[in-house]
Amino acid sequence: MLRPIGRVLSPLTDPVGAPRQGNEGAPKAWLVFEDGVRQAVSDLRPGDEVFVLTWLHHARRDVLSVHPRDDRRSPERGVFSTRSPERPNPIGLHRVEVLAIDGIRVQVSDLEAIDGTPVVDVKPVLPTDGR
Amino acid sequence: MLRPIGRVLSPLTDPVGAPRQGNEGAPKAWLVFEDGVRQAVSDLRPGDEVFVLTWLHHARRDVLSVHPRDDRRSPERGVFSTRSPERPNPIGLHRVEVLAIDGIRVQVSDLEAIDGTPVVDVKPVLPTDGR
């Protein structure tokens, strides 16, 4: 029922080497939207803080507990208590800033998703979203 | 490719009357998970701040711009600049607190999703998620 509405264009190509979180050295990336969602994108502006939702297409879906951050000294935790990409529905949730707009291409900061990752949604960050 | 891993059990039954955001008078609700994801749920604890991701199954997917909060005096905005449930992939993003655990049922605060809404993921809130 989920359908990709765009793709990530990024210098990151290897899931193994990718940063764990956007604030851990993740690069700028472009979101290249499909022409069919042009109107949905049309009010994004540089400076907007948004959540990008992706489909982490390389992630395993049969993993229900992980060693956080792949540190085998840490006890395993149920994946709903971690941000591991491995989970029953591998939806990525990435808080980024919009840096530039070029038609239906949107450049964002700090995106740890690799090149080619399907984009499924974009939402503005609300003040109540933080911890 | 998305599959429900549980359902919302809530006194809210009417999408029209439901609060727009969790902090606008939304009630407590239970997330009733499928037995197959028991291990993924197992480290959730009362007091945890989490994002619940849902599939807003009553939302229209062909709507690309809306009057924010259905206020027709406001200019229409592209849905990626709003938290409207109407969007190409109607994924709900709900920041809630875990209140209680009862096996594979998890009670949470402030959930504006209506009874029966499919749950697709749960993620811990990170300090970097806020505005």
Side-chain angles (χ1 to χ4, degrees):
Chain A
M1 46 190 176
L2 204 61
R3 67 179 178 89
I5 52 163
R7 299 267 169 185
V8 172
L9 181 66
S10 170
L12 288 179
T13 54
D14 181 1
V16 176
R20 296 310 174 96
Q21 296 296 330
N23 63 336
E24 296 176 7
K28 298 180 209 176
W30 286 92
L31 310 177
V32 182
F33 289 97
E34 294 181 3
D35 197 58
V37 299
R38 178 180 291 271
Q39 194 183 352
V41 175
S42 62
D43 287 298
L44 294 176
R45 296 287 180 272
D48 287 355
E49 299 283 342
V50 297
F51 289 115
V52 175
L53 279 68
T54 58
W55 184 258
L56 301 169
H57 56 319
H58 290 296
R60 287 179 57 184
R61 304 182 63 174
D62 59 342
V63 171
L64 298 179
S65 65
V66 296
H67 295 284
R69 305 182 65 84
D70 275 348
D71 179 349
R72 301 194 68 83
R73 294 165 302 185
S74 301
E76 286 201 11
R77 284 174 69 80
V79 292
F80 295 160
S81 296
T82 83
R83 292 287 275 258
S84 169
E86 298 179 338
R87 51 208 314 118
N89 289 301
I91 298 171
L93 179 66
H94 317 272
R95 184 184 182 281
V96 302
E97 180 183 348
V98 174
L99 299 176
I101 310 277
D102 175 17
I104 53 172
R105 293 159 49 108
V106 175
Q107 191 186 39
V108 300
S109 66
D110 303 319
L111 188 66
E112 76 274 25
I114 63 168
D115 189 60
T117 300
V119 176
V120 298
D121 199 9
V122 177
K123 299 180 187 294
V125 178
L126 302 181
T128 48
D129 289 320
R131 174 170 267 171
Chain B
M1 46 189 174
L2 205 60
R3 66 178 180 89
I5 52 164
R7 298 269 168 183
V8 172
L9 182 65
S10 170
L12 288 179
T13 55
D14 181 0
V16 175
R20 297 311 174 95
Q21 296 296 329
N23 63 337
E24 296 176 9
K28 298 180 213 177
W30 288 91
L31 311 178
V32 182
F33 289 96
E34 294 181 3
D35 197 57
V37 299
R38 179 180 291 270
Q39 194 184 352
V41 175
S42 62
D43 287 297
L44 294 176
R45 296 286 179 273
D48 287 354
E49 299 283 340
V50 297
F51 289 114
V52 175
L53 279 68
T54 59
W55 184 257
L56 301 168
H57 55 317
H58 289 297
R60 285 180 58 185
R61 304 183 62 174
D62 58 341
V63 171
L64 298 179
S65 65
V66 296
H67 296 284
R69 305 181 65 85
D70 274 349
D71 179 350
R72 301 195 68 84
R73 294 165 301 184
S74 301
E76 285 201 11
R77 286 174 68 81
V79 291
F80 296 160
S81 297
T82 83
R83 293 285 275 259
S84 169
E86 297 179 340
R87 50 207 315 116
N89 290 302
I91 299 171
L93 180 66
H94 317 273
R95 184 185 181 280
V96 301
E97 180 182 347
V98 174
L99 299 176
I101 310 277
D102 175 17
I104 53 172
R105 293 159 48 109
V106 176
Q107 191 185 41
V108 300
S109 66
D110 305 318
L111 189 66
E112 75 274 23
I114 64 169
D115 189 60
T117 300
V119 176
V120 296
D121 199 9
V122 178
K123 299 179 188 293
V125 177
L126 302 181
T128 46
D129 289 321
R131 175 170 268 171

